[in-house]
Amino acid sequence: MAESLLIPSTANRKEIYDSLVPQIQALTNGEGDLTANLANISAALKEAFGFFWVGFYLKKENQLVLGPFQGPIACTRINFNRGVCGHCYTTKQVIIVPDVEAFPGHIACSSASKSEIVLPAFDKNGDVFLVLDVDSDKLNDFSEIDALGLSEVMKIVEGFISSQ
Ligand code: SME
């Protein structure tokens, strides 16, 4: 396993995703522990992009429960009918929120968070197993580039959750 990430020194996010995704694949390859893999993925995304908050919420019984993350402390449990994460869970869609203040029901874990993207990862039955939440302290910080890059990361996640 690589001991450090090699991140291109560019502000071009596509180039960073192109470099990072294979490194995340290598980092998690052959490791069967879910917590360890999610922890390293959140650290890799935080290190590569400097996002304000990066982390996972896992579906547990009838709620989303905080999993491995990087950033300030965050709300522990989210009901399926609440927040951007709940919306992602119920719609099974990638959600980009350019301005969190304009999203009805947004859960403000931190007032510094201005925009966010949330993506689902599915188990082998097609049910949402977890969501990845990435928050920025800048308005309108996420685009289709992030949706595509992070979807590649979620494909890797789906690879190891299918064996849980
Ligand atoms: N903003 C999210 C809650 C999680 S925190 O931002 C880390 C939401 O509305 O679901």
Side-chain angles (χ1 to χ4, degrees):
M1 189 199 87
E3 288 178 6
S4 59
L5 294 175
L6 293 171
I7 312 292
S9 51
T10 168
N12 181 323
R13 282 203 189 159
K14 180 168 186 322
E15 280 178 29
I16 299 176
Y17 283 115
D18 287 349
S19 163
L20 189 64
V21 167
Q23 293 184 74
I24 287 178
Q25 180 77 69
L27 192 60
T28 55
N29 194 30
E31 174 52 65
D33 189 275
L34 178 65
T35 305
N37 284 336
L38 297 181
N40 258 341
I41 291 173
S42 56
L45 290 170
K46 175 87 167 143
E47 184 180 335
F49 296 101
F51 293 131
F52 177 71
W53 195 93
V54 181
F56 295 92
Y57 281 90
L58 287 82
K59 191 242 170 193
K60 296 200 173 165
E61 298 177 355
N62 59 348
Q63 286 182 311
L64 296 168
V65 180
L66 184 62
F69 71 96
Q70 294 273 311
I73 59 166
C75 47
T76 311
R77 291 172 181 271
I78 297 177
N79 289 332
F80 297 146
N81 62 351
R82 296 233 29 236
V84 186
C85 291
H87 193 60
C88 173
Y89 177 83
T90 52
T91 61
K92 300 185 168 187
Q93 302 287 324
V94 177
I95 316 281
I96 294 177
V97 180
D99 177 359
V100 296
E101 303 272 334
F103 188 92
H106 167 256
I107 301 166
C109 292
S110 165
S111 59
S113 177
K114 304 287 185 216
S115 59
E116 68 180 270
I117 181 169
V118 183
L119 302 94
F122 300 95
D123 65 18
K124 53 193 167 201
N125 300 318
D127 297 321
V128 178
F129 184 88
L130 57 74
V131 301
L132 168 64
D133 179 354
V134 183
D135 290 13
S136 172
D137 57 7
K138 300 177 193 70
L139 279 170
N140 199 17
D141 201 19
F142 299 104
S143 72
E144 204 50 34
I145 303 271
D146 300 286
L148 288 170
L150 295 172
S151 293
E152 291 300 312
V153 174
M154 293 308 252
K155 279 184 205 155
I156 296 170
V157 171
E158 285 168 350
F160 57 75
I161 63 182
S162 66
S163 54
Q164 288 298 303

